[in-house]
């Protein structure tokens, strides 16, 4: 029977031909293909993360390339943006690539960085407003107040339509949340950001991140071994 294998030349899956069983001595070294599995897992990890984003997120890239419409026009974004309160001010600091780099190099604060896009409906109801369109009551604004009260990291938001994130953040979906400590250590939150209690505990270093995508986790596990 025919089987499929991942082709690094095409970036997709291709037939491997008819399966041929070959026996190996018990003490034989693993075949070259098996030894290359960790490298292959690392190579396809961004692709799987983009192809299978969490249910609460929108894909941002596909095989390392921006999706069509990722950098969308203002009119297109406004067409997808839900009605929000025009009078309400937000307190979470907006950053771009330049200002975020300055914050990280200043080493003054632990940071909670939320990458989002205005056209993403999940971002609209987490970063931009609540489900009723109230900007000042957006879940991220509520989280910001919680972390200020608890002495937690400084919360900032990064519009990926307005500025390109550094490659080190590997933004494959939005909203995506990273915690960066003053010494530069970076961690990714993989849970549903609308679970503010869980997100707050993680941001404060009191709990581990939930797991978002089983396929990505399996590949990451293979890559580490």
């Amino acid at each position: 029977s025919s089987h499929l294998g991942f082709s690094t030349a095409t970036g997709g899956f291709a037939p491997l031909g008819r399966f041929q069983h070959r026996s190996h001595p018990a003490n034989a070294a693993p075949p070259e293909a098996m030894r290359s599995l960790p490298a292959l897992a690392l190579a396809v990890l961004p692709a799987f993360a983009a192809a299978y984003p969490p249910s609460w997120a929108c894909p941002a890239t596909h095989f390392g390339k921006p999706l069509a419409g990722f950098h969308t026009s203002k009119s297109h974004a406004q067409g997808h943006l839900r009605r929000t309160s025009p009078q309400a001010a937000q307190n979470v600091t907006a950053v771009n690539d330049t200002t975020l780099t300055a914050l990280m190099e200043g080493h003054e604060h632990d940071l909670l960085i939320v990458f989002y896009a205005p056209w993403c409906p999940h971002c609209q109801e987490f970063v931009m407003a609540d489900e009723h369109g109230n900007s000042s009551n957006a879940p991220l604004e509520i989280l910001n107040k919680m972390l200020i009260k608890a002495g937690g990291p400084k919360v900032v938001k990064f519009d990926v339509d307005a500025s390109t994130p550094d490659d080190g953040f590997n933004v494959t979906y939005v909203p995506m949340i990273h915690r960066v400590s003053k010494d530069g250590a970076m961690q990714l939150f993989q849970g549903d950001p609308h679970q503010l209690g869980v997100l707050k505990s993680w941001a404060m270093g009191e709990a581990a991140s939930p797991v978002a995508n089983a396929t990505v986790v399996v590949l990451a596990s293979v890559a580490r071994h």
Side-chain angles (χ1 to χ4, degrees):
S1 59
S2 295
H3 295 261
L4 295 178
F6 184 82
S7 170
T8 56
T10 64
F13 289 86
L16 291 177
R18 296 190 61 82
F19 176 76
Q20 296 180 351
H21 179 268
R22 297 180 181 178
S23 59
H24 295 274
N27 60 348
E32 182 62 30
M34 294 297 292
R35 293 197 296 272
S36 65
L37 274 177
L40 178 60
L42 284 175
V44 302
L45 188 56
F48 272 90
Y52 302 100
S55 60
W56 39 260
C58 294
T61 60
H62 183 60
F63 284 94
K65 299 178 181 179
L67 283 173
F70 180 54
H71 293 288
T72 182
S73 66
K74 288 185 178 180
S75 60
H76 182 77
Q78 288 169 352
H80 286 75
L81 183 61
R82 300 184 183 184
R83 185 176 297 173
T84 60
S85 172
Q87 304 281 326
Q90 292 190 313
N91 294 316
V92 174
T93 302
V95 296
N96 56 30
D97 183 51
T98 301
T99 55
L100 177 58
T101 298
L103 278 174
M104 293 174 63
E105 292 180 349
H107 305 291
E108 294 182 7
H109 307 279
D110 292 337
L111 299 174
L112 188 76
I113 309 165
V114 180
F115 296 95
Y116 76 101
W119 48 263
C120 167
H122 304 287
C123 300
Q124 291 168 13
E125 291 191 353
F126 177 66
V127 177
M128 305 176 73
D130 64 10
E131 59 183 355
H132 304 295
N134 186 343
S135 300
S136 63
N137 204 42
L140 184 60
E141 294 292 315
I142 295 174
L143 176 67
N144 183 47
K145 294 175 184 177
M146 294 165 64
L147 289 176
I148 290 175
K149 184 176 181 180
K154 177 180 178 63
V155 181
V156 298
K157 56 187 178 183
F158 190 115
D159 180 352
V160 298
D161 259 9
S163 182
T164 302
D166 186 273
D167 290 343
F169 290 108
N170 193 27
V171 180
T172 54
Y173 59 81
V174 287
M176 176 176 278
I177 302 174
H178 283 276
R179 182 178 64 205
V180 180
S181 65
K182 287 185 287 188
D183 61 8
M186 184 185 302
Q187 290 183 299
L188 171 66
F189 182 71
Q190 299 183 64
D192 184 346
H194 283 87
Q195 297 178 347
L196 294 186
V198 176
L199 178 52
K200 174 182 176 289
S201 295
W202 174 82
M204 295 294 298
E206 299 169 354
S209 171
V211 174
N213 191 320
T215 304
V216 173
V217 170
V218 169
L219 284 171
S221 178
V222 170
R224 286 196 297 268
H225 294 84

